[in-house]
Amino acid sequence: MPGCVQLPTHNASRWKIIGENLTTLSKQPSVTNLENAILSHRPCIKDEFTFSLKAFGELVNCEYPKFWTDTLPFICSVALRLPSLFATQDAAPLLLAHKNATVSLTREQILSLLANSFLCTIESQGPIHQLPMQDFHFANILSSGSDTNNEYHQSQKAKVQCVLHYFTRMCHEQATENRSLNGGNDVTQIPSVVTFTRQVLTGVSQDLWLGCTDALIKLVPKVKPASIDTEKDATQVDFANAWIGGGVLEMGAALEEIFFVTQPELLVSLLFTVKLEDEEALLVSGHLKYSQYTGYVQSFTFVGDNEDNTPLKMCAIDATPFFGDVAQYEQKMLHREAVKALAGFKGSTTVATGNWGCGAFGGDAQLKALLQWIAATVAGCKELVYCVWDNEPLAAALTQLQQVQGLTVGKLWTILLKFEVSKPEDERSVMEYVMSALE
């Protein structure tokens, strides 16, 4: 159906073959049969890259002794529940560009979709709908490819471990009935549904910032080990790619990819979210964090189970890649970044963020902090938790700026516009310029 995810169940003959494959695989689980099933479901993989599950087999044999006897048959079983969980062809609508819309899924529906993604049964939605969308299959991260030693890189291993931990935990929870898919023993604490909302702002004028007389809200700078995803009572900011999920199902292991594998219910958003436009954000609520980790990018390491079942809130906002270019200080770019943050923060009481777009994208950390502070104020938030990680000078500067009496959104925005004019001759940092202007 147009505007909805095309699931494999919509093609009766194809689903019949998938059903036969998964029934056989659950009865005869092995790395060879798993590899053959995946290639049967998605034969184009052989033309895209060297597909090998040798490293996967070695990992599960060493660290997950019950994978073949318990977890894989469970994955096959929940994958086969797809027809009953999505009984109509419009049960999974797309989140289209330029449209405010929400998709709500039960945990059982999400589990079944992730199981089908693991087994590579779901076709790419982008070519089907002629829309810019991510692929939704695990083949890339499961495969060790052409590595002659049949080994995973550290970050890839960690991602596979997070995925395996999710399925292992869900298998255990169902088997022991300690918790149900709809939230455990205390259903008042853990919601049964995860919601995904595309929030779109239209016609936001730059006068919004200039004319705002609201004083900047409370900002709480935090240094390491504080991080965004430890602020469980706040809306956590995902430093997103416009293609939601970024490289999570490939080789990426930055903040967004780590969010999505440690909180794997987020992964289903790749299936139905069209590429984000400049005035749009993706909001998710009700999901859980299943895995603990350390490290980042190449040092990303799976640590173990996360026992805290607090339902979380997340907003995904994509920064503009500047790579250190002075264009980021131009009025139109200040506006673009502020609107993007506003789209993500609107509706939240507390937001936890940090140096958004300041790593590989080369954004100015001081500027991004001020723009997010402005956006959070205009959004009506009460507090902005700002995790600077190891940038202690930025934390000190934000604390100093917060002590300035009578500083409003409009006043700060006006100063930032003047800073643009002063570049590149003025060698002062953004924060030095702002503090000088306020003297």
Side-chain angles (χ1 to χ4, degrees):
M1 177 175 287
C4 295
V5 174
Q6 183 170 308
L7 296 172
T9 52
H10 299 170
N11 183 324
S13 59
R14 183 167 184 265
W15 183 248
K16 183 175 183 292
I17 294 172
I18 290 172
E20 292 170 352
N21 287 345
L22 298 188
T23 300
T24 300
L25 181 59
S26 64
K27 293 177 180 179
Q28 302 172 21
S30 70
V31 68
T32 299
N33 288 344
L34 175 59
E35 188 171 305
N36 289 338
I38 288 175
L39 290 174
S40 172
H41 301 153
R42 200 174 182 89
C44 62
I45 289 173
K46 291 181 290 186
D47 300 325
E48 296 171 357
F49 59 91
T50 302
F51 182 69
S52 170
L53 292 182
K54 289 183 179 179
F56 178 82
E58 292 179 7
L59 175 64
V60 297
N61 290 340
C62 180
E63 300 185 18
Y64 299 88
K66 293 186 177 181
F67 177 80
W68 302 114
T69 57
D70 296 355
T71 310
L72 183 57
F74 170 76
I75 292 172
C76 293
S77 173
V78 296
L80 290 171
R81 294 178 196 167
L82 204 62
S84 61
L85 294 171
F86 295 88
T88 61
Q89 293 196 6
D90 61 352
L94 301 180
L95 291 179
L96 298 168
H98 312 299
K99 293 184 178 180
N100 286 293
T102 296
V103 173
S104 297
L105 298 173
T106 67
R107 287 204 153 70
E108 189 170 8
Q109 286 178 310
I110 291 173
L111 173 60
S112 184
L113 289 172
L114 290 176
N116 277 278
S117 177
F118 180 89
L119 297 162
C120 302
T121 69
I122 301 176
E123 294 180 286
S124 299
Q125 300 298 302
I128 292 172
H129 299 283
Q130 294 297 297
L131 291 169
M133 301 178 69
Q134 290 267 45
D135 280 344
F136 185 61
H137 65 79
F138 284 33
N140 285 286
I141 63 169
L142 295 179
S143 173
S144 54
S146 57
D147 188 294
T148 55
N149 296 320
N150 295 314
E151 294 179 352
Y152 287 139
H153 299 297
Q154 173 56 43
S155 60
Q156 183 185 5
K157 177 183 177 182
K159 289 164 74 171
V160 173
Q161 288 173 308
C162 288
V163 169
L164 289 173
H165 176 68
Y166 168 74
F167 285 122
T168 301
R169 177 167 149 177
M170 299 307 286
C171 177
H172 175 73
E173 289 181 1
Q174 283 204 356
T176 61
E177 298 183 353
N178 286 335
R179 303 183 185 91
S180 72
L181 282 168
N182 289 331
N185 294 326
D186 188 354
V187 295
T188 64
Q189 294 297 315
I190 305 177
S192 62
V193 172
V194 181
T195 61
F196 303 81
T197 299
R198 192 183 192 103
Q199 186 150 276
V200 182
L201 303 180
T202 56
V204 179
S205 166
Q206 297 194 33
D207 292 338
L208 176 66
W209 323 112
L210 284 170
C212 182
T213 58
D214 292 342
L216 293 171
I217 63 170
K218 179 182 179 182
L219 184 146
V220 181
K222 293 190 176 183
V223 298
K224 65 179 183 181
S227 62
I228 295 169
D229 65 351
T230 60
E231 298 295 324
K232 62 182 183 181
D233 296 324
T235 296
Q236 301 173 354
V237 178
D238 164 28
F239 300 169
N241 192 298
W243 298 73
I244 203 69
V248 63
L249 295 182
E250 295 182 359
M251 294 300 108
L255 181 67
E256 178 168 40
E257 290 84 2
I258 292 172
F259 263 33
F260 276 57
V261 291
T262 58
Q263 304 169 22
E265 288 158 337
L266 297 175
L267 286 167
V268 294
S269 62
L270 277 68
L271 179 61
F272 48 75
T273 305
V274 176
K275 179 174 177 275
L276 296 176
E277 299 295 332
D278 282 348
E279 298 180 339
E280 302 177 346
L282 178 69
L283 314 182
V284 186
S285 63
H287 59 290
L288 305 181
K289 180 179 179 180
Y290 289 83
S291 298
Q292 295 281 10
Y293 72 95
T294 60
Y296 180 77
V297 189
Q298 295 180 354
S299 64
F300 173 50
T301 303
F302 169 77
V303 172
D305 183 48
N306 179 57
E307 297 179 355
D308 187 341
N309 283 332
T310 301
L312 303 173
K313 294 172 289 184
M314 183 274 285
C315 73
I317 53 175
D318 54 296
T320 302
F322 290 111
F323 309 116
D325 197 316
V326 295
Q328 63 187 297
Y329 306 109
E330 296 175 0
Q331 184 173 355
K332 65 178 181 180
M333 299 315 303
L334 297 177
H335 181 64
R336 189 274 179 195
E337 301 298 83
V339 170
K340 174 64 71 169
L342 179 61
F345 299 170
K346 192 175 181 181
S348 295
T349 301
T350 302
V351 170
T353 188
N355 299 325
W356 170 52
C358 299
F361 278 12
D364 183 321
Q366 295 183 0
L367 178 64
K368 280 297 200 296
L370 298 180
L371 290 174
Q372 291 183 89
W373 200 356
I374 286 171
T377 302
V378 174
C381 304
K382 301 301 182 185
E383 183 176 272
L384 185 67
V385 178
Y386 204 90
C387 300
V388 301
W389 195 237
D390 58 358
N391 193 339
E392 295 185 9
L394 176 57
L398 290 170
T399 300
Q400 182 183 7
L401 184 58
Q402 191 164 203
Q403 295 169 355
V404 175
Q405 297 295 317
L407 182 56
T408 66
V409 167
K411 191 171 184 178
L412 179 56
W413 187 263
T414 300
I415 295 172
L416 292 179
L417 294 183
K418 292 178 180 178
F419 181 72
E420 174 203 349
V421 177
S422 74
K423 300 297 284 185
E425 289 80 10
D426 195 330
E427 295 183 355
R428 287 177 293 179
S429 69
V430 175
M431 205 66 74
E432 288 172 340
Y433 185 89
V434 169
M435 292 307 297
S436 176
L438 290 171
E439 290 178 353

